[in-house]
């Protein structure tokens, strides 16, 4: 999978760095050990963070800044990582979907980056381009119906949008039948070392819980859009 970072993103976030984890996996309905990890992190965050202080986390703060630079209100269209941690801090249970979705949520919570998890066999074409959503651009968010993505960073394949930091698209979502996983980490804070660590964490999780060898990691940046 080739990933291009458009000039639109480079203008609002010249230091952007992303990582793609691609792996062959076996999904399952539920994994108790994975949820033990999620609950342990939940307890840690409840002792350390508030719904206000979590906005200061590097990945979340940077994503909110990019939303504003693109003309989107980050308090109305919250980045997914912020949504998940806020839910924890408010004493609400995270939604349990399946092992791949739960695993991607844990990776997002652990590092504060908004992360997209996709069934790569549902992509159209072999290239994804990261740009900015347009007025009236059709986009069906997972469990959210039609979503206004104007001003949101968005990955597009040949058919259209597949992922934003707020919600991924129904068309390319992971299911129990997913075997070809692609996870995209959005490092709007430009912290390449932390983004790479997040990717390695995802590899570790799929090895433990998805009968995978961990797959491969590819870093991509705004400065090198043809990487």
């Amino acid at each position: 999978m080739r990933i291009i970072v458009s000039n639109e993103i480079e203008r609002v976030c010249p230091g952007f760095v992303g990582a793609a984890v691609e792996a062959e996996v076996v999904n399952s309905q539920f994994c108790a050990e994975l949820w033990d990890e999620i609950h342990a992190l939940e307890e840690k965050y409840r002792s350390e963070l508030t719904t206000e202080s979590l906005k200061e986390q590097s990945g979340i703060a940077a994503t909110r800044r990019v939303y504003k630079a693109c003309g989107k209100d980050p308090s109305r269209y919250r980045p997914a990582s912020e949504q998940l941690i806020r839910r924890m801090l408010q004493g609400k249970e995270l939604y349990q979907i399946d092992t791949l979705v739960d695993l991607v949520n844990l990776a997002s919570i652990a590092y504060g980056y908004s992360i997209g998890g996709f069934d790569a066999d549902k992509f159209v074409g072999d290239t994804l381009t990261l740009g900015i959503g347009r007025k009236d651009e059709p986009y069906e968010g997972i469990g959210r119906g039609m979503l206004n993505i104007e001003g949101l960073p968005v990955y597009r394949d040949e058919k259209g949008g597949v992922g934003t930091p707020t919600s991924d698209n129904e068309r390319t979502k992971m299911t129990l039948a997913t075997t070809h996983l692609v996870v995209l980490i959005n490092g709007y804070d430009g912290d390449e070392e932390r983004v790479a660590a997040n990717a390695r964490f995802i590899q570790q999780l799929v090895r433990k819980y998805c009968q995978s060898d961990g797959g491969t990691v590819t870093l991509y940046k705004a400065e090198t859009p043809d990487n």
Side-chain angles (χ1 to χ4, degrees), residues 32-50:
E33 290 182 13
L34 172 62
W35 274 89
D36 287 342
E37 290 197 44
I38 293 172
H39 289 314
L41 189 56
E42 182 177 37
E43 290 182 13
K44 179 176 183 290
Y45 278 178
R46 284 179 178 171
S47 68
E48 296 177 353
L49 295 174
T50 68

Side-chain angles (χ1 to χ4, degrees), residues 1-4 16-22 80 104 107-108 113-120 123 127-130 154-157 162-165 168 172 174 181-188 195 198-199 202 216-220:
M1 180 60 60
R2 181 169 178 253
I3 303 175
I4 298 172
F16 173 86
V17 58
V21 180
E22 185 169 4
V104 169
S108 179
Y113 292 123
S114 288
I115 298 175
F118 306 93
D119 186 325
F123 289 145
T127 301
L128 296 177
T129 301
L130 177 59
V154 57
Y155 288 94
R156 300 183 181 95
D157 65 6
V162 299
T164 76
D168 293 330
T172 50
M174 301 176 294
L181 173 70
V182 165
V183 182
L184 302 178
I185 303 167
N186 296 288
Y188 289 99
V195 168
N198 200 169
I202 292 168
T216 61
V217 173
T218 303
L219 294 177
Y220 50 98

Side-chain angles (χ1 to χ4, degrees), residues 71-160:
K72 209 69 169 177
D73 180 357
S75 294
R76 183 177 179 189
Y77 294 87
R78 297 186 192 277
S81 53
E82 182 182 349
Q83 295 176 41
L84 291 166
I85 298 173
R86 278 178 63 88
R87 189 170 182 85
M88 283 182 163
L89 298 178
Q90 291 169 343
K92 300 175 182 176
E93 288 290 329
L94 295 186
Y95 297 110
Q96 192 279 314
I97 307 299
D98 59 48
T99 297
L100 283 178
V101 174
D102 301 341
L103 178 155
V104 169
N105 285 343
L106 171 58
S108 179
I109 291 163
Y111 283 81
Y113 292 123
S114 288
I115 298 175
F118 306 93
D119 186 325
D121 290 338
K122 296 178 181 177
F123 289 145
V124 178
D126 62 359
T127 301
L128 296 177
T129 301
L130 177 59
I132 297 175
R134 309 180 186 103
K135 182 177 175 60
D136 297 325
E137 182 172 358
Y139 188 94
E140 186 179 1
I142 297 174
R144 300 171 68 111
M146 298 308 293
L147 186 67
N148 174 14
I149 65 167
E150 181 182 6
L152 285 179
V154 57
Y155 288 94
R156 300 183 181 95
D157 65 6
E158 288 184 10
K159 187 172 182 179

Side-chain angles (χ1 to χ4, degrees), residues 4-17 66 69-70 129-132 153 188 221-226:
I4 298 172
V5 180
S6 72
N7 290 334
E8 292 177 317
I9 294 296
E10 188 172 6
R11 283 194 292 269
V12 297
C13 188
F16 173 86
V17 58
V66 168
C70 294
T129 301
L130 177 59
I132 297 175
Y188 289 99
K221 303 180 183 180
E223 295 90 347
T224 55
D226 293 324

